[in-house]
């Protein structure tokens, strides 16, 4: 047996999928709490959820879905050897991620300005369900925003590697980072209706 | 399976000493060799285990007499919290999978290394970071955590002790556990040697595989639960605070959704070790290979659905209690399948009572005592009587120490000669085992009796009528500690200066015995081809 490095792309992909399961379950805990507390205090949840900014939420959804498309195009482009298209698509993806975070920042800022954050006077004085709703809102979207940030960093990193001309198994690396990005998108696809639409 | 192969490095110390780079500490802590990482884990885990043992002895010493004996009540709370955190998160959960899984899994599969060697090293660094943070929590902030290892709210959200740091430490340890798990699943799927179908996997591999799935699927729930405690403490989110619309029972659900499956992370690898040892020392193919293999999966699956039995007294609907009670009893079935198959393997075997076998057999007995007393807790009616008493403490120590702990010691006695190429003194090992076996039964049996009579757990003081039982249990802890001392001394002496052993001192038929002891850096100089099952001793030519 030689010590020459060999790549096992199927193994890499399997490892990534397993990791993505753990991420889904991490968010699953928060969704579980959401479900239980929604069932207990539906009126409070409806009142609190009605105050979220539907326009910004929708804009962010469009941004993430677009970025999922561009990352998928980037993966295909690299397979076909179109490096500049790959890099361009990755650039758009990262840009979408950054705009998403800025939007999220505006949303949070507006809520905090209205004295809505965990432990604020307004929430302490109001109904329990409202306080729970906003705690979950901040925790879930905050954890998601961290993932957006991490995903964007990974996309940037793989982009620089490709630009620097790295060849060995670049496709598999990009594909795995792309999978991660789809997960970030997928989690948002659950957050958006639960917090913005159904209430 | 394959012919014995000479060491690739041409040195009789195999991976322990590479040419040139030698064995400096730097070479070890930057190595991606699974065997070196396994040993790094082993050394760290054993060190923390010894700390945990000392804490446990102090707890027993405090309970030697009613009233204050050696420490005050607050110190006692900190002591049992640390004993729990260290033993659970630093010893039992990573113990067999991280140490022996890393050491043996690629060897058992006929692979050169795990699927992600660098990730493997990273997991060790995460483990060490978490462990050191947990120890830092003792000496910084508002004093050592005093919540118990379960971090139950509302106390954990309000206490001024250093809970935040301890929780962060456990979060990092959980991440390490997840990465080890996904590494092992990928390794088992992708790196089996030619000819090694799923029906030829050694049973230890099956148990590691089932364990790895539990690690992957349960640990994220712990991660989010710990994040929620931090948010509760630092941001005041109030998700578990009734005054703000939250519910502390939700914490218990989330915590046990992880922590009950974690019990199977602890015990499944131990069962795997025992499944390796019993056939080898009975000189007989294992009875019911598929039953043992698939019962590991069944335990992992069913064991993930029983968390509610920790909450029978915290206010659940009667229907939920009934369902969780039923599911808890269901887990007993695959566990019993294993026990019966081990016994059937022993039947008409040519039994060699070497030290690994003694530990494996006592595992079966102690695990059975622990498992059967678990049924008393799994039935809601009897649970209400003994809930939060020393009966529970005795029960889970029978399972975790008598079970997993003894399996860990069995693995030490079984595989250390392979890893170091040297044998310990078998007579001393047998004597040490004797002390430990007697000590553990005195300690935990009398704890259970005290519990049935009403001695509560976590209490620093007790009524005079429990004095005699507590004294007997404390004496048991001394006998056990003496046995441990003897065992570790003997193992250390064997590793340093024992008789050299050949490639296959026990006559095993699995792949690790086909390479020299200690194994060469690349494990196999010729890629092995598997032509028979792991317990076909006749075809392996060792019978």
């Amino acid at each position: 047996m030689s010590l020459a490095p060999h790549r096992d792309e199927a193994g890499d992909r399997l490892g990534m999928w397993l990791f993505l399961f753990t991420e889904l379950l991490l968010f699953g805990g928060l969704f579980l709490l959401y479900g239980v507390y929604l069932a207990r205090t539906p009126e409070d949840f409806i009142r609190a959820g009605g105050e979220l900014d539907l326009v910004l939420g929708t804009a962010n959804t469009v941004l993430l879905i677009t970025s999922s498309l561009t990352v998928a195009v980037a993966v295909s482009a690299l397979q076909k050897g179109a490096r500049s298209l790959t890099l361009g698509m990755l650039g758009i993806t990262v840009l979408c991620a950054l705009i998403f975070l800025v939007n999220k920042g505006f949303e949070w800022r507006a809520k905090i300005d209205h004295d809505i954050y965990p432990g604020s006077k307004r929430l302490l004085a109001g109904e329990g369900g409202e306080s729970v709703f906003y705690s979950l809102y901040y925790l879930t979207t905050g954890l998601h925003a961290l993932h957006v940030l991490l995903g964007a960093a990974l996309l940037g990193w793989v982009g620089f590697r490709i630009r620097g001309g790295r060849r060995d198994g670049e496709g598999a690396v990009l594909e795995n980072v792309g999978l991660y990005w789809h997960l970030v998108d997928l989690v948002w696809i659950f957050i958006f209706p639960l917090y913005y639409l159904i209430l | 399976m394959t012919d014995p192969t000479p060491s690739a490095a041409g040195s009789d110390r195999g991976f322990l000493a590479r040419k040139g780079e030698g064995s400096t500490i730097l070479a070890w802590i930057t190595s991606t060799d699974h065997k070196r990482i396994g040993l790094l884990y082993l050394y760290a885990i054993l060190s923390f285990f010894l700390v945990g043992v000392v804490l446990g002895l102090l707890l027993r010493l405090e309970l030697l007499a009613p009233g204050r004996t050696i420490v005050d009540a607050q110190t006692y709370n900190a002591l049992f919290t640390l004993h729990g955190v260290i033993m659970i998160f630093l010893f039992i959960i990573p113990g067999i999978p991280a140490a022996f899984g890393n050491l043996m899994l690629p060897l058992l599969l006929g692979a050169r290394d795990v699927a992600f060697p660098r990730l493997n090293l990273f997991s060790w660094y995460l483990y060490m970071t978490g462990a050191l943070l947990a120890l830092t929590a003792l000496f910084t902030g508002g004093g050592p955590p005093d919540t118990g290892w379960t971090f139950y709210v509302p106390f954990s959200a309000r206490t001024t002790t250093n809970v935040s740091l301890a929780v962060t430490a456990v979060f990092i340890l959980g991440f390490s556990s997840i990465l080890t798990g996904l590494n092992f699943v990928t390794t088992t799927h992708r790196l089996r040697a030619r000819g090694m179908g799923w029906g030829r996997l050694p049973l230890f591999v099956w148990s590691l595989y089932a364990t790895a799935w539990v690690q992957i699927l349960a640990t994220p729930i712990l991660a989010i639960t710990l994040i929620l405690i931090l948010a509760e403490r630092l941001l005041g989110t109030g998700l578990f605070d009734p005054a703000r619309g939250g519910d502390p029972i939700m914490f218990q659900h989330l915590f046990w959704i992880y922590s009950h499956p974690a019990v199977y992370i602890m015990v499944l690898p131990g069962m795997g070790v025992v499944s390796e040892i019993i056939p080898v020392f009975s000189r007989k193919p294992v009875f019911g290979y598929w039953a043992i293999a698939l019962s590991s999966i069944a335990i992992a699956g069913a064991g993930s659905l029983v968390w509610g039995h920790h909450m029978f007294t915290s206010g659940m609907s009667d229907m939920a209690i009934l369902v969780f009670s039923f599911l808890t009893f269901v887990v007993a079935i695959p566990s019993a399948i294993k026990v019966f198959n081990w016994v059937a393997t022993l039947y008409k075997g040519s039994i060699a009572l070497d030290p690994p076998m003694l530990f494996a057999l006592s595992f079966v007995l102690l695990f059975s005592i622990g498992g059967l007393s678990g049924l008393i807790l799994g039935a809601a009616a009897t649970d209400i009587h003994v809930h939060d008493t020393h009966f529970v403490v005795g029960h889970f120590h029978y399972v975790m120490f008598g079970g997993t702990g003894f399996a860990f010691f069995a693995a030490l006695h079984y595989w250390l000669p392979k890893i170091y190429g040297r044998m310990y003194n078998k007579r001393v090992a047998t004597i040490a085992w004797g002390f430990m076996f007697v000590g553990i039964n005195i300690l935990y049996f009398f704890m259970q009796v005290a519990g049935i009579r009403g001695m509560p757990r976590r209490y620093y003081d007790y009524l005079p009528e429990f004095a005699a039982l507590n004294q007997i249990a404390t004496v048991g802890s001394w006998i056990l500690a003496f046995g441990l001392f003897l065992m570790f001394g003997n193992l250390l002496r064997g590793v340093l200066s024992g008789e050299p052993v050949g490639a296959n001192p026990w006559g095993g038929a699995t792949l690790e015995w086909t390479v020299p002891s200690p194994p060469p850096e690349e494990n196999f100089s010729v890629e092995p081809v598997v032509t028979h099952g792991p317990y076909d001793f006749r075809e392996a030519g060792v019978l």
Side-chain angles (χ1 to χ4, degrees), chain B residues 84-173:
Chain B
V85 168
I86 289 176
M87 285 305 205
I88 298 279
F89 293 113
L90 299 183
F91 172 63
I92 293 204
I93 288 182
I96 297 177
F100 287 104
N102 266 317
L103 280 169
M104 305 316 300
L105 178 67
L107 282 167
L108 288 167
L109 290 175
R112 206 172 53 192
D113 207 324
V114 291
F116 308 115
R118 280 186 299 172
L119 192 68
N120 203 14
L121 183 65
F122 180 59
S123 305
W124 182 76
Y125 275 99
L126 284 176
Y127 171 80
M128 290 309 287
T129 309
L132 294 178
L133 276 183
L135 294 183
T136 311
L138 303 185
F139 306 109
T140 56
D146 55 351
T147 58
W149 76 276
T150 52
F151 303 115
Y152 266 13
V153 293
F155 186 68
S156 65
R158 293 196 188 142
T159 176
T160 55
T161 56
N162 214 354
V163 170
S164 300
L165 190 60
V167 161
T168 311
V170 173
F171 180 87
I172 296 172
L173 290 169

Side-chain angles (χ1 to χ4, degrees), chain A residues 1-3 8 10-12 14-15 18-19 22 25-26 30 32-33 36-37 40 118 124 128 131-132 135-136 139, chain B residues 112 116 178 185-186 189-190 213 216-217 220-221 223-224 228 231 235 237 239 244-247 250 522 525 527:
Chain A
M1 240 186 209
S2 75
L3 265 180
D8 176 14
D12 291 351
L14 177 60
L18 292 172
F19 181 68
T22 70
L25 287 159
L26 182 76
L30 291 169
L32 192 72
L33 286 182
V36 171
Y37 288 125
R40 284 189 187 173
L124 284 182
S131 165
V132 164
S135 287
L136 281 172
L139 281 171
Chain B
R112 206 172 53 192
F116 308 115
I178 287 177
V185 168
T186 312
H189 274 276
R190 302 290 308 166
W213 274 109
I216 293 170
L217 297 178
I221 310 289
I224 194 69
L228 289 169
L235 308 172
T237 46
L239 286 176
R244 299 187 191 175
D247 183 352
M250 290 310 293
E522 290 176 50
S525 51
E527 204 165 329

